[in-house]
Amino acid sequence: MTAPDTATRPLPPDVEQAEAAIVEHYPRLVRLAYLVLPPAFGRHRRVLTAHALTQRALPRGRRGAGSGEARGGVPGPRGGAGGAESGYAYVRLRVLRSALEAGIPLTFRAFPLRGQLPSPLPRVWGLRLFPRAGGAEELALDQWLATLNGPGRAACVLRALEGLTEADVLRVLAEAGVADPGAAVAESGDPAHDSLFTSPEFDPCVLQARPTDLLRRRRFARASLAGAAALAVCGALLALPGGGWGSDGPAAPPYARNAAAEQALDPGRLVRVAPAAWRTSSRTDFSAWPARGDRAEDTELLRRALAVWARPGGAVVVSATPGTPSGPPMGPPQLLFAGVVDQAVVVLLYDGLRVVRYAEPRSGTAGAALDFARTDGASADTATGLVLSRVDNNVRYLTAPWVTGAALRDLLKPAEAPTALKLTPEGITPPVLGPAPGGSCTSWNALSLTGDGATRLVTDLGELTPARLTSGAPGAARDVTEAAELGEWARIACLLPSVRSHGVRTVNAWTYAKQPLPEGDGAAIWLCTRAETWQGTADRVQAQFLAPGAPLAAQAAKAEGSAACGPREPRVLAGVLWKSRAGQWYVLAAGSAQFASLSVSGGGVSGSANGNRLAVKAQEGAQVDLSGKLTDGTKAGVLR
């Protein structure tokens, strides 16, 4: 194979002449590009790139004159393979230049050259192409070429494949843009094996084909189909009227959706109760509350509240009373309230098990709060109000629709008349000072709510639902209205912080015994308070001893999860060490009416008494064991 003579330098050929040169010498040009391309590309990529570079060598326009070629004096062949105007040398130079550019690594500091850019054609899917394998000599030559740089391989190929003299090789390399053609020629090695360059090992036009990785291709196809389906679904959602799903605010990224979850997140499916439904409803609890608030029709706000409930994000502060699940709603919840309260926008929702309060800053800044409170088993007595906001120890309540009047009472001042509060038309109270402001028990505010034929006393214990306060024996508790009952609560109210934030529904105070004190020091009162929780398994019981003249009761015993002092076990026994005015210490004990006798032993103390009261002399700090016997003859211990 003899290369055309390229000694003269005419103008670049017309595009028809260049095309004719490419078609006539296509195998030679593709082989040249294949040998100059970096071996790191791999044989399949080198084959496709060599064909692409050769096909892209066709110049634009009627004249192939580019400024670079004109300045370089692109030679035109004369005679030989294609005649003086065959254009072979021109297209060979373009192929060589592109092959050298393709070997330059891409960087962000320079604009990519044309040869560095991938070509859309030719493309092969599902097959890997490579030339036929040669012998040991061809393999050794291929390995040696891999040690050369691009200009070195180009010099070697121009000499061995094109048959150019050293002077012509230097000139062509210079025209191709090689910075140091002399070094490239020196690196091109010994021409002893130049004949091997025509071997089928280096012919990218005679190819073998093998399949690509079939298992990986199948996985890729499945992943592509799944991705396409996901994109189609997302596109359909975004195309929904109103901007698709809308803004979810501080909610976390969406979870796997299903029909029930979608209905629960749709603000259009929220349950809304009519304002007068509570008058005829068979249930008088939160399910009878109407939807109230100036933002009850704000779809975007309700959507955010539902989305944050379903999946609170990192900017959401979540709290839940003990025993309250904090998961997403099981279906469309009921809207109780949505509106602006002080410096926040508040949404109250109810799903039959829980009341959920969503609050976001009124200013529109990021972040939100989400509070859960268990409310199953509520009634007209325990569904009288909900906390809307707490700001600087001031509490604002949303009252039940059957509440017609509200007043503020200080439990520590039972003789004072309560202060009337003016409710808004939607049943919202003005901000009232919370219990024990500043942490000191100098006052304890409670809310007196009138409606549905009763006046109920409730107080804030740090949760969404205020706790109802009652008085009376287990099973016969009643609302606190009498002066004597208010007087008892004045002595024990400061013990309420011990049950704060425990999911308390009601707190009942019961005077279970009155005991004359030794040495004529008056009469003491024994009380039992039982804080029942919404979850029903963590009730807290306390026995208190109220000495005559003492402003506050002293805690004598306590228990958690006990049935004592309640309808299931309406009895209680407790004791204290008490010092008389004369300085004598006594063990005092009292049980409820179910006790027939009491006994004490240990710590140097021994004694017993018939009935449910006992007083035995003792020493300061004595540790004793106290027990009692019930009227049916069974033995019972103290509250613990």
Side-chain angles (χ1 to χ4, degrees):
M1 186 160 40
T2 305
D5 186 358
T6 59
T8 61
R9 300 189 182 186
L11 289 174
D14 290 337
V15 66
E16 290 86 357
Q17 294 175 334
E19 181 186 20
I22 292 174
V23 172
E24 182 178 357
H25 300 286
Y26 188 78
R28 177 197 293 261
L29 294 170
V30 174
R31 186 189 294 255
L32 183 148
Y34 178 82
L35 289 168
V36 175
L37 287 171
F41 279 18
R43 292 192 293 172
H44 175 78
R45 181 180 172 188
R46 287 168 65 195
V47 166
L48 296 182
T49 304
H51 283 273
L53 296 180
T54 302
Q55 294 173 18
R56 283 161 58 177
L58 188 68
R60 299 176 183 271
R62 301 301 301 171
R63 275 282 169 188
S67 61
E69 287 90 342
R71 285 193 304 268
V74 178
R78 102 186 136 162
E85 298 298 326
S86 69
Y88 173 76
Y90 172 79
V91 296
R92 180 183 66 189
L93 181 61
R94 289 175 64 92
V95 170
L96 180 64
R97 180 179 295 162
S98 298
L100 290 172
E101 291 174 351
I104 301 174
L106 282 170
T107 63
F108 292 102
R109 292 174 295 184
F111 194 79
L113 302 171
R114 188 166 184 264
Q116 294 175 288
L117 300 175
S119 175
L121 293 173
R123 291 287 179 184
V124 177
W125 294 86
L127 290 175
R128 297 194 64 81
L129 304 178
F130 47 87
R132 291 180 296 178
E137 293 181 339
E138 286 84 353
L139 178 60
L141 178 59
D142 190 46
Q143 293 175 344
W144 176 75
L145 285 174
T147 64
L148 304 180
N149 58 19
R153 287 190 300 273
C156 189
V157 171
L158 289 174
R159 184 196 67 224
L161 191 63
E162 298 295 298
L164 300 182
T165 64
E166 182 175 338
D168 288 337
V169 170
L170 292 172
R171 176 179 50 79
V172 173
L173 291 178
E175 292 171 352
V178 175
D180 191 353
V185 171
E187 189 183 4
S188 62
D190 188 2
H193 302 291
D194 286 357
S195 60
L196 294 176
F197 283 90
T198 60
S199 169
E201 169 82 13
F202 308 112
D203 188 357
C205 292
V206 181
L207 302 171
Q208 294 180 334
R210 292 290 185 273
T212 56
D213 190 331
L214 299 179
L215 287 177
R216 183 172 65 179
R217 193 169 68 195
R218 178 179 296 176
R219 296 190 194 101
F220 179 78
R222 290 175 178 172
S224 299
L225 288 174
L231 287 174
V233 171
C234 293
L237 293 178
L238 292 175
L240 288 175
W245 291 102
S247 172
D248 290 344
Y255 57 87
R257 287 177 168 142
N258 55 54
E262 293 298 346
Q263 292 179 4
L265 295 177
D266 185 359
R269 293 180 176 267
L270 283 172
V271 178
R272 297 169 184 263
V273 176
W278 66 272
R279 300 182 184 275
T280 56
S281 172
S282 59
R283 295 176 55 184
T284 314
D285 58 6
F286 294 108
S287 65
W289 282 34
R292 292 174 281 180
D294 58 353
R295 302 282 290 274
E297 303 300 329
D298 189 337
T299 302
E300 290 302 316
L301 169 64
L302 299 178
R303 175 180 288 114
R304 288 196 301 275
L306 291 170
V308 172
W309 180 359
R311 51 183 201 281
V316 180
V317 179
V318 181
S319 68
T321 58
T324 305
S326 57
M330 296 172 287
Q334 176 184 342
L335 176 63
L336 304 182
F337 179 86
V340 177
V341 183
D342 298 324
Q343 300 303 315
V345 181
V346 177
V347 178
L348 291 178
L349 301 165
Y350 174 66
D351 68 351
L353 173 65
R354 303 160 294 177
V355 168
V356 179
R357 177 182 179 270
Y358 169 81
E360 63 182 25
R362 186 178 179 181
S363 61
T365 56
L370 192 66
D371 303 313
F372 294 86
R374 185 170 175 174
T375 56
D376 54 319
S379 64
D381 295 325
T382 52
T384 54
L386 290 171
V387 172
L388 275 180
S389 70
R390 289 188 185 89
V391 179
D392 297 330
N393 203 43
N394 289 314
V395 186
R396 197 187 292 268
Y397 298 88
L398 175 67
T399 59
W402 52 85
V403 172
T404 57
L408 185 66
R409 178 183 289 278
D410 187 351
L411 291 182
L412 301 188
K413 299 175 182 178
E416 292 187 1
T419 303
L421 300 175
K422 184 178 180 179
L423 300 176
T424 68
E426 293 183 328
I428 301 175
T429 69
V432 297
L433 193 63
S440 61
C441 194
T442 56
S443 67
W444 192 282
N445 287 336
L447 208 62
S448 181
L449 301 176
T450 302
D452 197 26
T455 297
R456 303 172 180 92
L457 195 63
V458 298
T459 189
D460 178 28
L461 291 181
E463 301 173 13
L464 279 178
T465 54
R468 180 193 178 201
L469 305 181
T470 60
S471 293
R478 59 189 179 275
D479 290 310
V480 181
T481 56
E482 301 296 332
E485 297 163 349
L486 290 171
E488 291 174 356
W489 269 106
R491 306 289 186 87
I492 61 176
C494 287
L495 297 176
L496 285 174
S498 62
V499 296
R500 185 191 293 269
S501 301
H502 284 88
V504 174
R505 177 171 57 181
T506 62
V507 184
N508 182 61
W510 170 36
T511 300
Y512 69 88
K514 294 183 179 180
Q515 182 179 24
L517 295 176
E519 303 179 11
D521 283 356
I525 296 176
W526 292 87
L527 300 105
C528 174
T529 57
R530 180 178 180 86
E532 294 188 351
T533 60
W534 288 99
Q535 58 181 317
T537 58
D539 297 349
R540 293 171 176 255
V541 184
Q542 293 184 20
Q544 289 114 7
F545 175 77
L546 181 57
L552 301 176
Q555 180 176 283
K558 65 177 180 179
E560 182 176 349
S562 172
C565 196
R568 288 183 177 271
E569 193 176 298
R571 64 174 185 267
V572 62
L573 172 62
V576 295
L577 275 173
W578 172 78
K579 185 179 180 182
S580 69
R581 286 195 290 262
Q584 177 61 50
W585 286 92
Y586 288 86
V587 172
L588 301 181
S592 54
Q594 294 86 354
F595 285 87
S597 63
L598 304 178
S599 62
V600 62
S601 62
V605 179
S606 178
S608 62
N610 292 326
N612 63 338
R613 295 169 297 186
L614 175 144
V616 179
K617 289 183 178 181
Q619 298 296 322
E620 181 179 2
Q623 301 291 324
V624 299
D625 293 324
L626 179 64
S627 62
K629 186 176 290 187
L630 302 177
T631 53
D632 60 3
T634 59
K635 192 174 182 180
V638 296
L639 178 67
R640 58 166 52 93

